[in-house]
Amino acid sequence: MYWESFGFKEAPFALTPNPSFLFLSAPHQEAFAHLLFAIENRAGFIELSGEVGTGKTTIVRTLLNQLDPETHRTALIFNPILSPLGFMKEVNAEFGLPCDGNEIRDLHALLNAYLLEENRAGRTVVLVIDEAQNLSVEVLEHVRLISNLETESDKLIQIVLVGQPELNALLARDELRQLDQRITVRYHLKPMCFDDTCAYIRHRIRFAADGQEPLTFSAGAFKRIFKFSGGLPRLINGVCDRALLLAYTRERKEVTPAMASLAIADLRRGSPRRRRALQVRALSAALILCVIIIAGFSAVSLHLLPEEKKVTVQVPPPLTSDAARQGIAAQAEQENLYQAVNAVLAAWQVQRVEPVPGQPDNLRALARQRGLVATKLAANLELLGRLDAPALLHVELPGGGERLVALMGFEKDEVSVVPAVAGRSKLSRTELAQFWSGGTTVLWKDFHGIGTRTKGAEKTAGTKALQGLLKQVGCYNGPTDGALNDTTRQSLAEFQRREQLVADGKVGAQTLMLLYRRAGGFFPPGLARAGSTESKQTGRI
């Protein structure tokens, strides 16, 4: 296949939903969090809606993979164009129940007995119905009847309706008002923003190439793909796949804006909406012509007006090493510590640090009190970009001592810092390199406590959690048995190679940070991207 020539282990932009490629943009994180919260709190009825191609199916498949099979029983119905009898048979079959009967009442009774048995065993039963906008009113009425199965204190089944925006119109019908009123959690999945679109494309390339980037997209190509796709993953995949083929035929390692335009044109070719688009373009051209004519008259009129003075924007001179260190040293040590640390804690949405007289300020202790881990490492911006985590940069002062600068975001050539350095909250990478030599402390969360579970049953439980994470990222296919054997270590080393870490098969801080970020279902804060109005990560813990 053409993608193999770049060194990809699988097609990076296949249209088939694949949870292994999961990328959690800000909207996807919120959707995932809503679903997980509703299921764990047994909300009963949940609705997830979104336009075609927003990634709804990928999210629900990832969710089902994330739920522990020891405590959950799950079923996914993805062909809901069925009769009420056919629907009940499909539901029972998915849960492994007899489905040969032709009486809905009997099938319903079997399901009820199963739900009661699972409830007594302390397990949560989840039914996900994809493409729910295609359900008939009669089938939806049976869905409501299934939701009636409950005890005095618990809903016996959690039902997730997933569908396109038409699902909302369907549920708004008068004959379905009882069902609509029972939906306690709703979320409408929106497309990705520009920054998330760029990160999504790079993520899929790196995942399919074991952490490498054998193909890159220029900034102009990113812009054209986003403008065409509107941030919809399915359209992004379609364009990028064609761009990949074009790069293969031209023996190029970078997709240029022109190549992106050709890929977009190829994707549009043959589309049933193309004729309509051409009509719209013709109308747009006529409007543009009118605007040009009006602008011409306006230009003539403007010549009769006096010229305005041009305003020049002064660009600040480059920041020198001495000026940066002097600016940092001017702030008192404790004030600097709290301002930098609180910027990172705010990203995690945890309690701020307040000065306590008589108590030393220890980063590890401050982090531990808030459920976080403080890990000190020697880093560079490339590594911090891969970890995608707000970090505390240690800056050594000429006369001894040090100050902290919180790295909160960066783009290709610019970083955002707190507190401001010599009055500037944005610096070029070159300016930062003049006074920062690599000393870094990263605050992160070990969600499963894997790093602290080192003995006996706790170690086994931690290894099980590790194996689950490795499964989630597609690096482990063995049993979740808690055995830290060669197979588990080799899988861990494979993940480390993919993420450009030292492939030693050991469970280190950097490995765990990236495992939690790649596995999905955990929401550590990420580095903000310059010019973005949305936070890339929720940071809820």
Side-chain angles (χ1 to χ4, degrees):
M1 298 294 289
Y2 58 91
W3 44 265
E4 292 177 331
S5 66
F6 290 92
F8 292 117
K9 64 178 183 178
E10 56 186 306
F13 299 108
L15 295 180
T16 305
N18 184 350
S20 298
F21 277 92
L22 178 68
F23 173 81
L24 286 176
S25 68
H28 290 85
Q29 287 179 46
E30 289 188 15
F32 197 98
H34 275 73
L35 294 177
L36 201 59
F37 171 83
I39 289 171
E40 294 303 330
N41 287 275
R42 298 200 171 194
F45 251 121
I46 307 141
E47 179 197 356
L48 173 65
S49 62
E51 289 290 348
V52 176
T54 47
K56 301 183 298 296
T57 300
T58 300
I59 285 179
V60 295
R61 287 183 183 274
T62 302
L63 173 73
L64 295 180
N65 290 338
Q66 182 86 5
L67 297 177
D68 188 347
E70 294 183 4
T71 57
H72 295 78
R73 294 289 184 262
T74 62
L76 172 62
I77 306 295
F78 51 86
N79 182 28
I81 307 178
L82 300 163
S83 65
L85 177 61
F87 175 77
M88 284 302 303
K89 284 188 173 186
E90 189 81 11
V91 170
N92 281 19
E94 284 294 314
F95 284 122
L97 302 175
C99 55
D100 297 330
N102 289 318
E103 290 291 334
I104 291 180
R105 181 183 303 174
D106 296 338
L107 295 170
H108 200 272
L110 286 169
L111 179 61
N112 187 36
Y114 169 77
L115 295 177
L116 288 170
E117 180 183 347
E118 293 299 318
N119 185 65
R120 283 192 292 269
R123 287 187 282 265
T124 301
V125 180
V126 182
L127 172 63
V128 177
I129 305 172
D130 202 359
E131 301 295 345
Q133 76 279 353
N134 295 325
L135 291 171
S136 66
V137 173
E138 292 77 13
V139 170
L140 279 169
E141 177 59 20
H142 280 279
V143 172
R144 184 185 68 82
L145 293 175
I146 291 175
S147 73
N148 284 341
L149 302 176
E150 57 187 21
T151 65
E152 292 181 357
S153 58
D154 284 318
K155 293 283 186 183
L156 293 180
I157 187 168
Q158 312 305 306
I159 300 175
V160 184
L161 297 177
V162 183
Q164 297 168 23
E166 292 82 0
L167 175 61
N168 292 318
L170 177 62
L171 294 173
R173 294 176 62 165
D174 188 62
E175 59 265 43
L176 293 174
R177 63 186 181 279
Q178 291 187 43
L179 172 59
D180 189 50
Q181 291 168 2
R182 293 190 181 191
I183 298 176
T184 55
V185 176
R186 301 176 190 263
Y187 188 82
H188 182 74
L189 183 60
K190 297 178 181 178
M192 295 186 289
C193 66
F194 174 72
D195 288 331
D196 279 339
T197 298
C198 299
Y200 170 82
I201 294 171
R202 293 191 63 200
H203 166 76
R204 293 190 71 97
I205 289 173
R206 291 181 60 198
F207 185 88
D210 285 332
Q212 304 300 314
E213 288 194 54
L215 179 73
T216 59
F217 285 71
S218 69
F222 277 133
K223 290 177 181 177
R224 295 188 185 189
I225 291 170
F226 176 72
K227 183 178 180 181
F228 165 74
S229 67
L232 294 174
R234 188 174 299 171
L235 289 178
I236 295 169
N237 286 358
V239 173
C240 289
D241 186 59
R242 283 163 170 78
L244 178 63
L245 178 58
L246 196 58
Y248 167 73
T249 59
R250 295 187 176 186
E251 298 183 348
R252 300 285 295 274
K253 297 295 184 182
E254 182 183 62
V255 175
T256 64
M259 292 165 68
S261 295
L262 287 173
I264 291 168
D266 183 55
L267 189 64
R268 281 176 169 160
R269 190 175 296 120
S271 169
R273 293 182 294 179
R274 187 167 182 261
R275 184 177 302 171
R276 181 182 172 189
L278 290 174
Q279 293 172 348
V280 172
R281 286 181 186 175
L283 179 59
S284 299
L287 290 173
I288 291 171
L289 181 60
C290 292
V291 170
I292 291 172
I293 294 172
I294 294 171
F297 283 113
S298 300
V300 173
S301 301
L302 286 173
H303 279 296
L304 302 177
L305 298 175
E307 290 188 7
E308 294 183 3
K309 293 183 179 180
K310 294 183 179 179
V311 178
T312 58
V313 179
Q314 292 185 348
V315 178
L319 185 66
T320 65
S321 174
D322 290 341
R325 293 179 190 275
Q326 288 172 9
I328 295 171
Q331 188 178 33
E333 183 176 2
Q334 190 179 59
E335 181 186 351
N336 165 264
L337 171 72
Y338 288 118
Q339 191 173 354
V341 170
N342 281 331
V344 177
L345 294 180
W348 279 98
Q349 298 184 13
V350 296
Q351 182 184 1
R352 289 170 51 86
V353 175
E354 300 295 343
V356 178
Q359 287 192 9
D361 301 315
N362 182 285
L363 275 179
R364 283 191 170 87
L366 293 174
R368 187 168 56 251
Q369 291 164 4
R370 289 155 180 79
L372 302 175
V373 181
T375 297
K376 195 167 185 178
L377 49 89
N380 53 36
L381 283 179
E382 182 184 359
L383 173 59
L384 295 180
R386 292 203 305 273
L387 294 177
D388 193 19
L392 296 168
L393 310 182
H394 296 260
V395 179
E396 297 178 359
L397 301 180
E402 69 172 26
R403 296 289 189 271
L404 296 177
V405 174
L407 176 69
M408 302 304 296
F410 71 89
E411 267 295 329
K412 186 175 181 181
D413 298 313
E414 190 176 57
V415 298
S416 301
V417 295
V418 175
V421 176
R424 293 172 55 183
S425 59
K426 292 186 182 296
L427 309 172
S428 71
R429 292 190 176 210
T430 303
E431 290 170 335
L432 178 64
Q434 290 185 95
F435 62 86
W436 174 61
S437 57
T440 306
T441 295
V442 180
L443 303 187
W444 60 287
K445 185 174 180 66
D446 189 354
F447 293 91
H448 287 318
I450 295 172
T452 58
R453 296 181 174 187
T454 57
K455 295 181 180 179
E458 283 292 305
K459 182 177 181 180
T460 300
T463 304
K464 281 186 177 181
L466 174 67
Q467 291 169 332
L469 292 174
L470 289 169
K471 275 190 175 183
Q472 192 64 33
V473 298
C475 290
Y476 180 72
N477 294 318
T480 310
D481 55 9
L484 191 58
N485 50 27
D486 288 343
T487 302
T488 304
R489 289 192 177 92
Q490 289 168 6
S491 299
L492 192 59
E494 179 187 344
F495 174 77
Q496 290 168 330
R497 279 190 294 272
R498 179 193 298 174
E499 297 297 333
Q500 302 177 48
L501 301 176
V502 177
D504 56 8
K506 297 179 181 179
V507 188
Q510 295 178 40
T511 300
L512 285 175
M513 286 183 220
L514 288 170
L515 260 178
Y516 286 125
R517 191 172 294 280
R518 302 289 183 254
F522 309 96
F523 309 106
L527 287 167
R529 304 295 169 180
S532 174
T533 58
E534 298 183 47
S535 173
K536 186 179 176 184
Q537 307 284 356
T538 65
R540 296 189 183 94
I541 60 174

